[in-house]
Amino acid sequence: MSIEDVLVHIKNLTELAGVSGSEDNVRAYIKEKIRQYVDNITVDSIGNLIAYKKGRSSKLKVMLAAHMDEVGFLVSGYTDAGYIKFKKVGGIDDRILPGKRVLLGDKKIPGVIGSKAIHMQNDDEFESNVKLEKMYIDIGCDKKDEAEALAPLGEYIVFNTQYSELEGDSIKAKALDDRAGCAVIMELLKNTYDFDLYGCFTVQEEVGLRGAEVAAYAVNPDIAVIIESTTCSDVSDVEEYDYSTIYGEGAAISLMDKTTLYDRNLVDFIYNIAIKNNIKVQLKKTVSGGNDAGPIQRTREGVKVATISIPCRYIHSPVSLINKNDLFSCLNIMKLFLKQIKDCPGLK
Protein backbone atom coordinates (compact mmCIF):
# COMPACT_ATOMS: atom_id res chain seq x y z
CA MET A 1 0.00 0.00 0.00
CA SER A 2 1.55 3.27 -1.13
CA ILE A 3 1.08 6.27 1.15
CA GLU A 4 2.85 8.39 -1.43
CA ASP A 5 0.23 7.48 -4.05
CA VAL A 6 -2.56 8.60 -1.72
CA LEU A 7 -0.92 11.97 -1.12
CA VAL A 8 -0.31 12.48 -4.85
CA HIS A 9 -3.97 11.69 -5.56
CA ILE A 10 -5.13 14.14 -2.89
CA LYS A 11 -2.96 16.89 -4.35
CA ASN A 12 -4.15 16.27 -7.89
CA LEU A 13 -7.80 15.80 -6.95
CA THR A 14 -8.07 18.90 -4.77
CA GLU A 15 -6.60 21.08 -7.50
CA LEU A 16 -9.29 19.97 -9.95
CA ALA A 17 -12.62 21.81 -10.23
CA GLY A 18 -15.66 19.72 -9.43
CA VAL A 19 -18.61 21.69 -8.09
CA SER A 20 -21.79 19.66 -7.58
CA GLY A 21 -23.22 18.87 -11.01
CA SER A 22 -19.87 19.47 -12.73
CA GLU A 23 -17.71 16.60 -11.50
CA ASP A 24 -16.38 15.69 -14.97
CA ASN A 25 -12.69 16.47 -14.38
CA VAL A 26 -12.61 14.60 -11.08
CA ARG A 27 -14.39 11.59 -12.56
CA ALA A 28 -12.00 11.45 -15.53
CA TYR A 29 -8.95 11.53 -13.25
CA ILE A 30 -10.23 8.76 -10.98
CA LYS A 31 -11.30 6.59 -13.90
CA GLU A 32 -7.88 6.80 -15.51
CA LYS A 33 -5.99 6.00 -12.29
CA ILE A 34 -8.07 3.00 -11.15
CA ARG A 35 -8.84 1.25 -14.46
CA GLN A 36 -5.92 -1.20 -14.18
CA TYR A 37 -7.04 -2.38 -10.73
CA VAL A 38 -10.74 -3.13 -11.32
CA ASP A 39 -12.80 -5.45 -13.50
CA ASN A 40 -15.38 -2.97 -14.70
CA ILE A 41 -16.14 0.74 -14.57
CA THR A 42 -19.51 2.30 -15.29
CA VAL A 43 -20.78 5.86 -15.23
CA ASP A 44 -24.51 6.09 -14.59
CA SER A 45 -26.99 8.63 -15.92
CA ILE A 46 -26.48 11.04 -13.02
CA GLY A 47 -22.67 10.88 -13.22
CA ASN A 48 -21.63 8.45 -10.46
CA LEU A 49 -18.49 6.46 -11.19
CA ILE A 50 -18.93 2.85 -10.05
CA ALA A 51 -15.87 0.57 -10.10
CA TYR A 52 -16.46 -3.17 -9.70
CA LYS A 53 -13.74 -5.39 -8.22
CA LYS A 54 -14.57 -9.11 -8.43
CA GLY A 55 -13.78 -11.02 -5.27
CA ARG A 56 -12.74 -14.57 -4.53
CA SER A 57 -16.40 -15.13 -3.63
CA SER A 58 -19.57 -13.28 -4.60
CA LYS A 59 -21.61 -14.18 -1.51
CA LEU A 60 -21.19 -10.66 -0.12
CA LYS A 61 -21.39 -7.26 -1.85
CA VAL A 62 -19.57 -4.39 -0.18
CA MET A 63 -19.93 -0.78 -1.29
CA LEU A 64 -17.39 1.94 -0.49
CA ALA A 65 -18.57 5.47 -1.19
CA ALA A 66 -16.93 8.89 -1.34
CA HIS A 67 -18.30 11.95 -3.11
CA MET A 68 -16.46 13.70 -5.91
CA ASP A 69 -18.21 17.07 -5.72
CA GLU A 70 -17.17 20.16 -3.79
CA VAL A 71 -18.93 23.30 -2.66
CA GLY A 72 -18.62 26.29 -4.96
CA PHE A 73 -20.62 28.81 -6.96
CA LEU A 74 -22.21 29.50 -10.32
CA VAL A 75 -22.62 32.65 -12.37
CA SER A 76 -26.11 34.15 -12.00
CA GLY A 77 -25.84 37.63 -13.57
CA TYR A 78 -23.81 40.72 -14.39
CA THR A 79 -23.66 44.40 -13.59
CA ASP A 80 -23.30 47.11 -16.22
CA ALA A 81 -19.78 47.74 -14.91
CA GLY A 82 -18.72 44.17 -15.78
CA TYR A 83 -18.92 42.57 -12.34
CA ILE A 84 -20.28 39.04 -12.03
CA LYS A 85 -23.08 38.11 -9.65
CA PHE A 86 -23.11 34.56 -8.30
CA LYS A 87 -24.95 31.99 -6.20
CA LYS A 88 -23.66 29.34 -3.81
CA VAL A 89 -23.67 25.63 -4.63
CA GLY A 90 -23.63 23.83 -1.28
CA GLY A 91 -23.17 25.15 2.22
CA ILE A 92 -20.69 28.03 2.45
CA ASP A 93 -20.53 30.73 5.13
CA ASP A 94 -21.04 34.17 3.52
CA ARG A 95 -18.70 35.73 6.08
CA ILE A 96 -15.58 34.06 4.67
CA LEU A 97 -16.10 35.19 1.07
CA PRO A 98 -14.98 38.83 0.57
CA GLY A 99 -11.44 38.97 -0.79
CA LYS A 100 -11.23 35.31 -1.73
CA ARG A 101 -9.68 34.30 -5.05
CA VAL A 102 -11.72 32.12 -7.40
CA LEU A 103 -11.46 30.42 -10.80
CA LEU A 104 -14.30 30.46 -13.33
CA GLY A 105 -15.03 27.58 -15.70
CA ASP A 106 -12.75 25.25 -17.62
CA LYS A 107 -10.71 28.23 -18.78
CA LYS A 108 -9.86 28.89 -15.11
CA ILE A 109 -10.46 32.61 -15.43
CA PRO A 110 -9.13 34.21 -12.23
CA GLY A 111 -11.33 36.49 -10.19
CA VAL A 112 -11.74 38.02 -6.75
CA ILE A 113 -14.90 38.14 -4.65
CA GLY A 114 -15.54 41.77 -3.82
CA SER A 115 -17.91 43.95 -1.83
CA LYS A 116 -18.22 47.60 -0.81
CA ALA A 117 -14.91 48.83 0.65
CA ILE A 118 -14.84 49.27 4.42
CA HIS A 119 -14.09 53.00 3.93
CA MET A 120 -17.38 53.46 2.07
CA GLN A 121 -19.66 51.66 4.52
CA ASN A 122 -22.07 53.45 6.80
CA ASP A 123 -22.30 52.54 10.48
CA ASP A 124 -25.03 49.92 9.98
CA GLU A 125 -23.13 48.25 7.13
CA PHE A 126 -19.88 48.27 9.08
CA GLU A 127 -21.44 46.53 12.09
CA SER A 128 -23.19 43.79 10.11
CA ASN A 129 -21.95 40.92 7.97
CA VAL A 130 -21.93 41.39 4.21
CA LYS A 131 -24.59 39.24 2.56
CA LEU A 132 -24.03 37.29 -0.64
CA GLU A 133 -26.40 39.49 -2.64
CA LYS A 134 -24.11 42.46 -1.93
CA MET A 135 -21.04 40.69 -3.29
CA TYR A 136 -19.73 40.28 -6.81
CA ILE A 137 -16.77 38.72 -8.62
CA ASP A 138 -14.28 41.01 -10.32
CA ILE A 139 -12.50 39.40 -13.28
CA GLY A 140 -11.11 42.69 -14.61
CA CYS A 141 -13.85 43.53 -17.11
CA ASP A 142 -15.46 46.96 -17.25
CA LYS A 143 -18.44 46.11 -19.47
CA LYS A 144 -21.31 43.67 -19.04
CA ASP A 145 -20.92 42.03 -22.45
CA GLU A 146 -17.21 41.38 -21.85
CA ALA A 147 -17.92 39.57 -18.59
CA GLU A 148 -20.80 37.62 -20.14
CA ALA A 149 -18.60 36.45 -23.01
CA LEU A 150 -15.92 35.15 -20.65
CA ALA A 151 -18.22 33.64 -18.01
CA PRO A 152 -21.71 32.78 -19.35
CA LEU A 153 -24.70 32.24 -17.10
CA GLY A 154 -24.45 28.97 -15.18
CA GLU A 155 -20.65 28.78 -15.39
CA TYR A 156 -19.20 27.01 -12.36
CA ILE A 157 -16.80 28.73 -9.97
CA VAL A 158 -14.35 27.24 -7.47
CA PHE A 159 -11.97 28.61 -4.88
CA ASN A 160 -8.46 29.22 -6.19
CA THR A 161 -6.36 27.23 -3.71
CA GLN A 162 -3.18 25.25 -4.23
CA TYR A 163 -2.35 22.12 -2.26
CA SER A 164 0.46 22.55 0.26
CA GLU A 165 1.83 20.81 3.33
CA LEU A 166 2.16 22.73 6.59
CA GLU A 167 4.01 22.02 9.82
CA GLY A 168 2.88 19.19 12.04
CA ASP A 169 1.82 16.76 9.28
CA SER A 170 -0.97 19.07 8.07
CA ILE A 171 -2.29 19.21 4.52
CA LYS A 172 -3.92 22.41 3.28
CA ALA A 173 -6.21 22.39 0.24
CA LYS A 174 -9.70 23.06 -0.98
CA ALA A 175 -12.18 20.20 -1.49
CA LEU A 176 -10.60 17.86 1.06
CA ASP A 177 -14.28 17.12 1.66
CA ASP A 178 -14.31 14.63 0.06
CA ARG A 179 -11.38 14.20 -2.32
CA ALA A 180 -9.45 12.71 0.60
CA GLY A 181 -12.10 9.99 0.83
CA CYS A 182 -11.86 9.41 -2.92
CA ALA A 183 -8.09 8.94 -2.64
CA VAL A 184 -8.53 6.37 0.15
CA ILE A 185 -10.95 4.29 -1.94
CA MET A 186 -8.65 4.52 -4.97
CA GLU A 187 -5.90 2.93 -2.88
CA LEU A 188 -8.17 0.23 -1.42
CA LEU A 189 -9.20 -0.84 -4.92
CA LYS A 190 -5.67 -2.08 -5.57
CA ASN A 191 -6.23 -5.18 -3.42
CA THR A 192 -8.35 -8.29 -4.04
CA TYR A 193 -10.84 -9.39 -1.38
CA ASP A 194 -13.01 -12.36 -0.38
CA PHE A 195 -16.13 -10.55 -1.63
CA ASP A 196 -17.26 -8.37 -4.50
CA LEU A 197 -16.25 -4.76 -3.91
CA TYR A 198 -17.88 -1.70 -5.46
CA GLY A 199 -15.97 1.57 -5.23
CA CYS A 200 -18.57 4.29 -5.75
CA PHE A 201 -17.45 7.86 -6.40
CA THR A 202 -20.68 9.80 -6.09
CA VAL A 203 -21.98 13.12 -7.37
CA GLN A 204 -24.11 15.92 -5.92
CA GLU A 205 -23.57 15.05 -2.25
CA GLU A 206 -23.24 18.70 -1.28
CA VAL A 207 -26.68 19.59 -2.65
CA GLY A 208 -28.75 16.79 -1.17
CA LEU A 209 -26.94 13.40 -1.19
CA ARG A 210 -28.40 12.73 -4.62
CA GLY A 211 -25.82 10.58 -6.37
CA ALA A 212 -25.49 8.03 -3.58
CA GLU A 213 -29.16 7.17 -3.73
CA VAL A 214 -28.87 6.25 -7.41
CA ALA A 215 -25.59 4.36 -7.00
CA ALA A 216 -26.79 2.30 -4.05
CA TYR A 217 -29.97 1.29 -5.87
CA ALA A 218 -27.88 -0.03 -8.76
CA VAL A 219 -25.30 -1.85 -6.59
CA ASN A 220 -27.77 -3.15 -3.98
CA PRO A 221 -24.99 -3.85 -1.44
CA ASP A 222 -25.11 -5.88 1.75
CA ILE A 223 -22.78 -3.45 3.53
CA ALA A 224 -21.72 0.09 2.72
CA VAL A 225 -18.95 2.15 4.30
CA ILE A 226 -18.78 5.85 3.53
CA ILE A 227 -15.31 7.43 3.59
CA GLU A 228 -15.73 11.10 4.44
CA SER A 229 -14.14 14.24 5.78
CA THR A 230 -15.93 15.71 8.77
CA THR A 231 -15.98 18.74 11.01
CA CYS A 232 -13.12 19.24 13.43
CA SER A 233 -13.90 21.87 16.07
CA ASP A 234 -11.02 21.54 18.55
CA VAL A 235 -10.16 25.22 18.13
CA SER A 236 -10.12 28.33 20.30
CA ASP A 237 -13.31 29.30 22.15
CA VAL A 238 -14.89 25.86 21.80
CA GLU A 239 -15.38 23.82 24.96
CA GLU A 240 -13.93 20.31 24.86
CA TYR A 241 -17.34 18.76 25.40
CA ASP A 242 -18.48 20.47 22.17
CA TYR A 243 -15.66 19.03 20.06
CA SER A 244 -16.91 17.04 17.11
CA THR A 245 -13.54 15.43 16.47
CA ILE A 246 -9.97 16.09 17.57
CA TYR A 247 -7.30 16.88 15.01
CA GLY A 248 -4.52 14.27 14.92
CA GLU A 249 -6.32 11.74 17.11
CA GLY A 250 -7.24 9.37 14.33
CA ALA A 251 -10.14 8.67 12.00
CA ALA A 252 -13.60 9.31 13.42
CA ILE A 253 -16.44 6.78 13.38
CA SER A 254 -19.99 8.12 13.47
CA LEU A 255 -22.73 6.79 15.73
CA MET A 256 -25.55 8.97 14.43
CA ASP A 257 -26.25 12.08 12.39
CA LYS A 258 -29.29 13.83 10.93
CA THR A 259 -29.63 11.31 8.09
CA THR A 260 -28.48 8.03 9.64
CA LEU A 261 -28.52 5.88 12.76
CA TYR A 262 -25.53 3.67 12.04
CA ASP A 263 -25.47 -0.12 12.35
CA ARG A 264 -24.03 -0.69 15.83
CA ASN A 265 -22.51 -4.09 15.07
CA LEU A 266 -20.64 -2.59 12.14
CA VAL A 267 -19.56 0.50 14.07
CA ASP A 268 -18.28 -1.51 17.04
CA PHE A 269 -16.48 -3.98 14.77
CA ILE A 270 -14.61 -1.24 12.91
CA TYR A 271 -13.79 0.64 16.13
CA ASN A 272 -12.47 -2.48 17.87
CA ILE A 273 -10.26 -3.37 14.90
CA ALA A 274 -8.49 -0.04 15.39
CA ILE A 275 -8.15 -0.49 19.15
CA LYS A 276 -6.80 -4.05 18.84
CA ASN A 277 -4.20 -2.94 16.29
CA ASN A 278 -3.12 0.19 18.19
CA ILE A 279 -4.39 2.53 15.48
CA LYS A 280 -5.60 5.91 16.68
CA VAL A 281 -9.37 6.18 16.36
CA GLN A 282 -12.17 8.29 17.84
CA LEU A 283 -15.93 8.40 17.93
CA LYS A 284 -17.54 11.49 16.43
CA LYS A 285 -19.25 13.28 19.29
CA THR A 286 -21.75 15.44 17.43
CA VAL A 287 -24.83 14.27 15.52
CA SER A 288 -25.29 17.25 13.20
CA GLY A 289 -25.06 17.13 9.43
CA GLY A 290 -25.24 14.04 7.27
CA ASN A 291 -23.60 12.27 4.36
CA ASP A 292 -24.16 9.65 1.67
CA ALA A 293 -24.90 7.02 4.32
CA GLY A 294 -28.44 8.36 4.69
CA PRO A 295 -29.84 7.48 1.26
CA ILE A 296 -27.70 4.34 1.04
CA GLN A 297 -29.11 2.98 4.29
CA ARG A 298 -32.68 3.37 3.01
CA THR A 299 -32.07 1.78 -0.40
CA ARG A 300 -34.35 -1.11 -1.41
CA GLU A 301 -34.74 -3.43 1.61
CA GLY A 302 -32.15 -1.47 3.61
CA VAL A 303 -28.35 -1.57 3.88
CA LYS A 304 -26.05 -1.87 6.88
CA VAL A 305 -23.94 1.30 6.86
CA ALA A 306 -21.01 2.87 8.66
CA THR A 307 -19.09 6.09 8.14
CA ILE A 308 -15.41 6.58 8.89
CA SER A 309 -14.21 10.16 8.52
CA ILE A 310 -11.04 12.21 8.42
CA PRO A 311 -11.29 15.22 10.78
CA CYS A 312 -11.14 18.41 8.73
CA ARG A 313 -10.65 21.92 10.06
CA TYR A 314 -12.33 24.84 8.24
CA ILE A 315 -14.44 22.50 6.14
CA HIS A 316 -16.39 24.05 3.21
CA SER A 317 -13.88 26.88 2.94
CA PRO A 318 -10.99 27.72 0.59
CA VAL A 319 -8.35 26.45 3.06
CA SER A 320 -9.35 23.23 4.80
CA LEU A 321 -6.79 21.25 6.82
CA ILE A 322 -6.42 17.54 7.49
CA ASN A 323 -3.71 15.72 9.42
CA LYS A 324 -1.74 13.01 7.62
CA ASN A 325 -1.95 10.78 10.69
CA ASP A 326 -5.76 10.90 10.58
CA LEU A 327 -5.68 10.12 6.87
CA PHE A 328 -3.41 7.10 7.42
CA SER A 329 -5.54 5.99 10.38
CA CYS A 330 -8.57 5.89 8.08
CA LEU A 331 -6.68 4.03 5.38
CA ASN A 332 -5.18 1.44 7.72
CA ILE A 333 -8.43 0.78 9.57
CA MET A 334 -10.26 0.23 6.29
CA LYS A 335 -7.53 -2.10 5.02
CA LEU A 336 -7.88 -4.29 8.11
CA PHE A 337 -11.67 -4.10 8.12
CA LEU A 338 -11.92 -5.34 4.55
CA LYS A 339 -9.63 -8.28 5.39
CA GLN A 340 -11.67 -9.25 8.46
CA ILE A 341 -15.17 -8.39 7.32
CA LYS A 342 -16.36 -12.02 7.39
CA ASP A 343 -16.02 -11.94 11.19
CA CYS A 344 -18.37 -8.95 11.59
CA PRO A 345 -21.47 -9.99 13.60
CA GLY A 346 -24.91 -9.54 12.09
CA LEU A 347 -24.02 -10.31 8.48
CA LYS A 348 -26.13 -12.62 6.34
Side-chain angles (χ1 to χ4, degrees):
M1 182 170 290
S2 172
I3 297 303
E4 291 75 17
D5 285 352
V6 176
L7 293 176
V8 168
H9 289 326
I10 290 177
K11 178 184 186 301
N12 293 337
L13 286 167
T14 55
E15 291 184 351
L16 294 173
V19 179
S20 304
S22 182
E23 300 92 349
D24 308 63
N25 293 328
V26 180
R27 182 170 51 246
Y29 176 88
I30 294 173
K31 184 176 181 180
E32 176 60 29
K33 297 300 181 182
I34 67 171
R35 61 194 316 162
Q36 62 181 307
Y37 302 112
V38 301
D39 295 287
N40 186 49
I41 296 175
T42 59
V43 178
D44 64 23
S45 61
I46 198 172
N48 296 307
L49 176 65
I50 302 175
Y52 168 63
K53 179 93 174 185
K54 184 173 177 55
R56 300 182 188 98
S57 169
S58 296
K59 292 181 179 180
L60 186 70
K61 284 197 291 186
V62 177
M63 175 179 179
L64 303 181
H67 66 90
M68 296 183 288
D69 59 315
E70 65 187 289
V71 297
F73 315 93
L74 57 78
V75 174
S76 62
Y78 314 89
T79 71
D80 290 339
Y83 299 122
I84 292 172
K85 302 296 287 184
F86 61 101
K87 302 294 184 185
K88 293 185 289 188
V89 180
I92 305 173
D93 188 343
D94 289 2
R95 294 171 295 180
I96 70 169
L97 297 180
K100 298 301 185 295
R101 297 186 303 155
V102 294
L103 296 171
L104 289 79
D106 290 337
K107 296 178 181 178
K108 299 182 179 180
I109 298 169
V112 178
I113 298 177
S115 61
K116 184 187 287 189
I118 190 173
H119 315 77
M120 306 295 292
Q121 296 174 9
N122 59 38
D123 290 343
D124 289 340
E125 290 171 327
F126 180 77
E127 293 175 1
S128 61
N129 295 316
V130 182
K131 300 299 182 184
L132 186 76
E133 56 266 23
K134 298 293 185 181
M135 301 180 202
Y136 53 85
I137 294 174
D138 189 340
I139 61 171
C141 297
D142 56 13
K143 293 183 176 60
K144 178 181 177 180
D145 58 350
E146 293 177 353
E148 191 171 7
L150 289 171
L153 283 175
E155 186 71 277
Y156 283 98
I157 306 162
V158 296
F159 291 117
N160 184 1
T161 307
Q162 300 300 307
Y163 172 101
S164 63
E165 296 186 11
L166 308 182
E167 297 297 324
D169 295 316
S170 288
I171 293 170
K172 181 213 76 172
K174 72 169 179 64
L176 287 166
D177 174 24
D178 185 29
R179 309 282 165 74
C182 292
V184 168
I185 295 178
M186 291 170 71
E187 187 66 24
L188 293 171
L189 284 170
K190 291 180 179 179
N191 298 324
T192 300
Y193 303 97
D194 293 329
F195 50 82
D196 288 346
L197 181 65
Y198 293 81
C200 298
F201 303 89
T202 65
V203 297
Q204 299 184 39
E205 192 267 359
E206 298 292 3
V207 291
L209 317 177
R210 296 172 184 173
E213 183 174 3
V214 177
Y217 190 91
V219 172
N220 193 21
D222 300 297
I223 294 176
V225 180
I226 292 76
I227 315 295
E228 259 286 9
S229 298
T230 194
T231 53
C232 183
S233 56
D234 61 336
V235 293
S236 300
D237 300 323
V238 178
E239 297 291 345
E240 187 172 351
Y241 56 75
D242 281 331
Y243 289 175
S244 173
T245 59
I246 300 174
Y247 197 74
E249 289 301 310
I253 300 174
S254 297
L255 298 171
M256 174 183 172
D257 56 44
K258 287 187 176 180
T259 65
T260 313
L261 187 60
Y262 292 92
D263 184 90
R264 197 53 184 261
N265 284 331
L266 198 51
V267 167
D268 290 346
F269 186 70
I270 295 172
Y271 183 81
N272 288 329
I273 282 175
I275 297 300
K276 290 174 183 176
N277 288 276
N278 297 313
I279 301 172
K280 278 189 174 183
V281 68
Q282 56 187 308
L283 295 174
K284 185 178 176 181
K285 295 180 181 178
T286 57
V287 297
S288 58
N291 59 53
D292 280 343
I296 294 172
Q297 183 186 47
R298 298 189 296 273
T299 296
R300 295 182 183 251
E301 293 84 10
V303 180
K304 293 179 180 294
V305 296
T307 289
I308 181 167
S309 301
I310 302 158
C312 184
R313 286 179 177 164
Y314 326 120
I315 202 165
H316 285 204
S317 84
V319 285
S320 297
L321 298 180
I322 62 170
N323 189 292
K324 289 182 185 178
N325 296 313
D326 295 337
L327 171 68
F328 302 153
S329 164
C330 177
L331 183 60
N332 290 328
I333 292 169
M334 284 303 303
K335 180 183 177 183
L336 290 170
F337 166 69
L338 293 175
K339 285 184 177 180
Q340 301 175 32
I341 197 170
K342 65 181 184 300
D343 299 323
C344 182
L347 297 187
K348 296 177 182 178

